[in-house]
Amino acid sequence: MAAPMLSVLWRPGWGLRGVGRARASGPHRRDISFKLDERTAHSSLDLSKKDTGVIYRMLGIDPSKVPQNPERFREWAVVLGDAAVSGGQHYWEVTVKRSQQFRIGVADVDISREGCIGHDDRSWVFAYSHRRWYVMLANETTPIGSIGHPERVGLLLDYEGRKLSLVDVGKQVLIHTLVTEFQGPVVPAFALWDGELLTHSGLDVPKNLWDS
């Protein structure tokens, strides 16, 4: 289904790996190490690179051929990370390969599997579409200044600071910061409608971004 709405559903049995688990590596730094959770992946998405990458398939897999578990997104091409955060600063990067339409950010662990990230107040998203970057929250879209189409971008999550930032990896500077109110543990979240995304986690927060 083309790029997109959302509401709620999480159960203890879903088994997210390590809610709030992050290794402290200094007074300001923490890291989150995650893989993409195949159980959440829409049938149009294939996981690759030992579950650190995701590829969009136009035809996808017949939904009847994938396990019908409650964790799986059923309408939109979304996949979640398998580790959740409930505190600290965390940083990860995303390599963009041949994709012109994707979303990256975080979502509540109990986000509805009937919708798409960016279309409710349970997800916080940076979207790339029509050669422009946007912030998406609660079905509102705000353009970000012209920053082109970088091959690799970073995400900096400051949970207590209530901030999610898009990072220029090459320059190690913040492109845009979304200030919000997180309502519980959140997980990395991704959606795409062409091409491929590759995630890089287990990274320390770059020193010049500490407490940004």
Side-chain angles (χ1 to χ4, degrees):
M1 189 173 284
M5 280 178 327
L6 272 160
S7 89
V8 222
L9 163 88
W10 180 69
R11 297 172 189 163
W14 285 9
L16 276 170
R17 183 173 60 83
V19 172
R21 184 171 67 191
R23 178 177 62 83
S25 50
H28 302 283
R29 297 175 294 163
R30 299 199 174 188
D31 64 34
I32 178 175
S33 182
F34 66 88
K35 292 187 177 182
L36 302 177
D37 189 348
E38 191 279 332
R39 297 171 303 168
T40 68
H42 184 265
S43 59
S44 65
L45 301 178
D46 281 348
L47 303 191
S48 62
K49 310 290 186 182
K50 298 182 178 180
D51 294 344
T52 62
V54 57
I55 302 170
Y56 177 79
R57 305 293 188 191
M58 179 69 74
L59 298 179
I61 303 171
D62 182 341
S64 66
K65 299 294 196 303
V66 298
Q68 297 303 300
N69 48 285
E71 303 98 320
R72 192 175 305 282
F73 282 85
R74 291 176 280 280
E75 299 294 331
W76 305 104
V78 176
V79 63
L80 303 179
D82 68 353
V85 168
S86 58
Q89 279 193 328
H90 305 272
Y91 177 76
W92 61 97
E93 295 179 354
V94 181
T95 296
V96 181
K97 297 185 176 182
R98 303 180 305 281
S99 182
Q100 297 295 319
Q101 192 169 16
F102 60 88
R103 298 177 186 180
I104 56 177
V106 297
D108 283 350
V109 296
D110 58 356
I111 191 170
S112 170
R113 270 45 172 182
E114 302 295 339
C116 187
I117 58 173
H119 278 230
D120 70 351
D121 62 357
R122 310 301 298 275
S123 57
W124 300 266
V125 170
F126 295 104
Y128 186 84
S129 180
H130 304 295
R131 301 183 180 181
R132 293 287 306 274
W133 281 95
Y134 302 87
V135 175
M136 296 191 70
L137 174 63
N139 210 25
E140 293 187 4
T141 302
T142 304
I144 299 175
S146 179
I147 59 173
H149 186 278
E151 180 180 303
R152 186 159 166 161
V153 294
L155 287 174
L156 176 61
L157 171 64
D158 182 349
Y159 192 92
E160 281 86 6
R162 303 175 299 165
K163 296 185 291 187
L164 179 68
S165 299
L166 184 66
V167 178
D168 183 319
V169 170
K171 298 177 181 178
Q172 290 288 285
V173 296
L174 303 184
I175 297 169
H176 189 89
T177 296
L178 191 163
V179 180
T180 187
E181 200 64 67
F182 299 116
Q183 303 168 33
V186 295
V187 291
F190 309 86
L192 74 160
W193 292 272
D194 64 355
E196 178 180 0
L197 301 177
L198 180 61
T199 66
H200 312 273
S201 65
L203 307 174
D204 284 333
V205 176
K207 289 184 178 181
N208 57 314
L209 299 181
W210 287 2
D211 295 325
S212 292

